[in-house]
Amino acid sequence: MTNQNSTGLNLAAQDIASGHEGGVVDQVKAYFARVKNGEMGALPATGALLVLTALFSYLSPYFLTKLNFANLFVQAAQLTTLAIALVFVLLLAEIDLSAGVAAGVAMDVFYLTTTFGVPWPIGLVSALLVGVVLGFVLGFFVAKIGVPSFVITLAFFLGLQGVALILLGDGGLFRVEVPEVRAIMNDNLPVWGGWLLLAIVLLVSGGMGLYDRYRRTASGLVNRPLSLLLIKLAFMAVVGGGVVYVLNLNRSASVKEISGVPIVIPIVLLIIFLGTFLLDRTKFGRHLYAVGGNPEAARRAGIKVVRIRITAFMITSSLAVVAGLFHVSRIGVVEAAAGRTIVLSGVAAAVVGGVSLFGGRGRLIHAALGAMVISIIDNGLGLLGLSAGISFVVTGTVLALAATVDAVSRKRSGGIRRS
Amino acid sequence: MSNPVIELRDVKKSFGPVEVLKGVNLKVYAGQVTALVGDNGAGKSTLIKGLSGVQPYDSGTVLFDGQEVDIHDPIQASQLGIEVVYQDLALCENLDIVQNMFLGREELLQKTLDEPSMELQATKALQSLSVRTVKSVRQKVSSLSGGQRQTVAIARSVLRNAKLVILDEPTAALGVAQTEQVLNLVQRLADSGVAVLIISHNLADVFKVCDDISVLYLGRMVTQIETTETTQNDVVGYITGTKSVED
Ligand SMILES: Nc1ncnc2c1ncn2[C@@H]1O[C@H](COP(=O)(O)OP(=O)(O)OP(=O)(O)O)[C@@H](O)[C@H]1O
Ligand SMILES: [Mg+2]
């Protein structure tokens, strides 16, 4: 409110809308109008989730069991984190094919340091630093020197596999003996912890929603109907409540009870929350989208394009290390071959979720939904006893399909239309 | 008449041995639309780039509000109050109107984006120009027509409190109706007290909105004349070099 209209322009009578006007019905109509325009957002992934769940429940009696339900979330946690990591470079229309093996090398560093007696938190910080440094180097090559990200990250994809072999020696699995790390994917919150988590999620969502409304009202702007926020919260409460309820049931086949929300879930939720906050509510996030949408426009607006690009690569690599940590936690070992294949699943997850390969379009929650879709495909096909070969073929097909949808919807929403 | 917002005196610019601006004089006044016309290669874009700080002049004097200034980079030009609306629009299609209007100058509240304040200011800037064609300020630019995009780009300079707005062929890619809209917008911008310098090859447009016409011919300012005191034929003569002021 600092400096408008010092030129003393007369305000015209007519108002310009902000998209917040009208009741629930208008808002729903506006949403579908956007979908028709090619802004499909989370819709395809949500649809795919429902269809796949129905399909696999029908095909396999094991799919909807309590144990598999929990497994699905744990499996998806790793892929979700990797997909989220990749969103930061995908938003710039870049790619990081080395994210998986970079995470592998970082976890090798974690293994080596902790094995030689370094306390695990320091080992973890070292691993994250490996990610930060690798990301910086990649970003430097792409943003400063101008090497296409596809090529430089492919080079790192190969080179880092070599580094992993050098660090660990040929072949073999190496046990990671850190209980805190094993706990992430294998231990659960107590029953009350799951409900507390749900309460926190609802409180934070509701609180932020109300705060945004308050700020708009204070500025004299129109708000969307309050019922829309309530519907959203109710939806989250029902879905989240269902998930927590099922995860809190005993899913053990033996005497020892296993129940509760896996510890990894609050960690992933926190990553999504912080990442989304960064992208939606900070200058850095806005500038990241701008550079992804039109680098020249961003440059002319005074945005430091090189700095934004390098930072994005650093975030991607570091978050990929967290995904690597989840992987090590689940299988309990490091190996030289870690992280080679998962990166394409990560890209597939992001794109299936609605993150555009052309840059500038997509949200973290989309990548998370996409990761859930890919995980369900993996998990479901596994339960049907189909070979890994089939699973690769299906995932590849889904990626091709999603990329096609991406290209088509970009055509539909892009380009100048005459009014 | 009051003092010019910007005045150029004997401005020169060479690229190697090629002298592109050979001592140009120009005055642009607040509240007026000044046209800059000339044939291809006359040096119009070079003249603009000197004002926007993209490509400083070799010699000559630039007076801004009567003060001598040395504009050597775009940020400095923008701080003085000079905004350029480029021909290729420099908008991000994936962002909405508000986000584009505040790109690079986002307002913050406790380190996070102050969306309500930016939305309010963007809306007021558009209203102040009586923009009627834009449905919602939260529309993505990808859903806007060419004329609406020009509108957003021009409104952005209002937001920034520009004293001098330079438009490089703002209607080149537009149809009849949209050209009309943008020209009206330019008129309102000037009415609000801003000095407007507009490059155009379309003399009909120039005669419609401009108070003043300055003609560049091979790096020299042949004339700067009030629109009411000349004709389209004369201006064509100046542009093509078949007529000079002495005639
Ligand atoms: N960076 C440069 N290096 C060398 N010569 C240049 C450079 N920029 C412009 N010129 C030359 O200066 C002359 C004037 O160019 P300028 O772009 O200013 O013309 P213009 O009036 O904008 O033309 P148009 O109407 O085609 O846009 C041309 O002969 C051009 O070749
Ligand atoms: Mg030009």
Side-chain angles (χ1 to χ4, degrees), chain B residues 15 18 20 38-47 49 55 169 201:
Chain B
F15 296 104
V18 190
V20 175
D39 219 346
N40 297 117
K44 302 182 297 294
S45 296
T46 308
L47 194 69
K49 283 177 188 161
Q55 216 174 58
E169 300 197 41
H201 283 291

Side-chain angles (χ1 to χ4, degrees), chain B residues 7-13 21-25 47 57-62 219:
Chain B
E7 179 172 0
L8 302 181
R9 286 184 195 158
D10 197 25
V11 159
K12 292 184 180 157
K13 176 79 188 175
L21 300 178
K22 302 169 181 164
V24 173
N25 298 324
L47 194 69
Y57 303 125
D58 294 338
S59 67
T61 312
V62 182

Side-chain angles (χ1 to χ4, degrees), chain A residues 120-208:
Chain A
W120 71 267
I122 296 178
L124 189 55
V125 170
S126 323
L128 286 170
L129 274 179
V130 170
V132 170
V133 171
L134 284 174
F136 177 81
V137 175
L138 287 173
F140 186 84
F141 272 106
V142 173
K144 200 86 186 171
I145 303 184
V147 185
S149 60
F150 179 81
V151 176
I152 190 69
T153 62
L154 189 60
F156 271 62
F157 174 74
L158 293 174
L160 288 173
Q161 290 182 29
V163 173
L165 280 172
I166 294 166
L167 285 178
L168 293 184
D170 245 338
L173 306 171
F174 302 87
R175 282 207 81 70
V176 172
E177 312 277 5
V178 180
E180 288 85 352
V181 167
R182 298 277 294 145
I184 298 172
M185 298 290 263
N186 296 295
D187 290 357
N188 305 299
L189 297 177
V191 167
W192 59 264
W195 295 116
L196 179 65
L197 177 65
L198 180 64
I200 291 173
V201 168
L202 291 175
L203 273 176
V204 170
S205 308
M208 285 178 69

Side-chain angles (χ1 to χ4, degrees), chain B residues 39-115:
Chain B
D39 219 346
N40 297 117
K44 302 182 297 294
S45 296
T46 308
L47 194 69
I48 297 306
K49 283 177 188 161
L51 277 175
S52 66
V54 177
Q55 216 174 58
Y57 303 125
D58 294 338
S59 67
T61 312
V62 182
L63 299 173
F64 189 86
D65 271 342
Q67 301 274 341
E68 192 172 334
V69 288
D70 172 28
I71 305 171
H72 49 261
D73 70 63
I75 294 167
Q76 196 201 1
S78 167
Q79 277 165 354
L80 282 173
I82 300 175
E83 291 292 337
V84 184
V85 177
Y86 294 97
Q87 191 169 3
D88 48 337
L89 284 166
L91 297 175
C92 292
E93 298 205 347
N94 59 328
L95 300 182
D96 66 32
I97 294 177
V98 179
Q99 293 169 339
N100 267 290
M101 285 176 72
F102 277 91
L103 194 61
R105 295 147 197 254
E106 292 81 4
E107 295 199 349
L108 300 179
L109 184 78
Q110 289 149 13
K111 304 223 162 143
T112 59
L113 297 171
D114 191 351
E115 297 288 355

Side-chain angles (χ1 to χ4, degrees), chain A residues 199-262:
Chain A
I200 291 173
V201 168
L202 291 175
L203 273 176
V204 170
S205 308
M208 285 178 69
L210 286 176
Y211 177 72
D212 288 346
R213 294 177 65 84
Y214 159 76
R215 294 264 308 120
R216 287 185 67 87
T217 309
S219 296
L221 294 169
V222 191
N223 270 308
R224 292 199 166 86
L226 181 62
S227 48
L228 216 60
L229 176 64
L230 296 178
I231 291 171
K232 184 182 138 198
L233 288 175
F235 178 79
M236 287 171 73
V238 169
V239 174
V243 170
V244 171
Y245 174 78
V246 174
L247 289 177
N248 273 346
L249 298 174
N250 180 17
R251 52 181 176 267
S252 169
S254 66
V255 205
K256 189 174 172 297
E257 184 180 325
I258 304 175
S259 65
V261 175

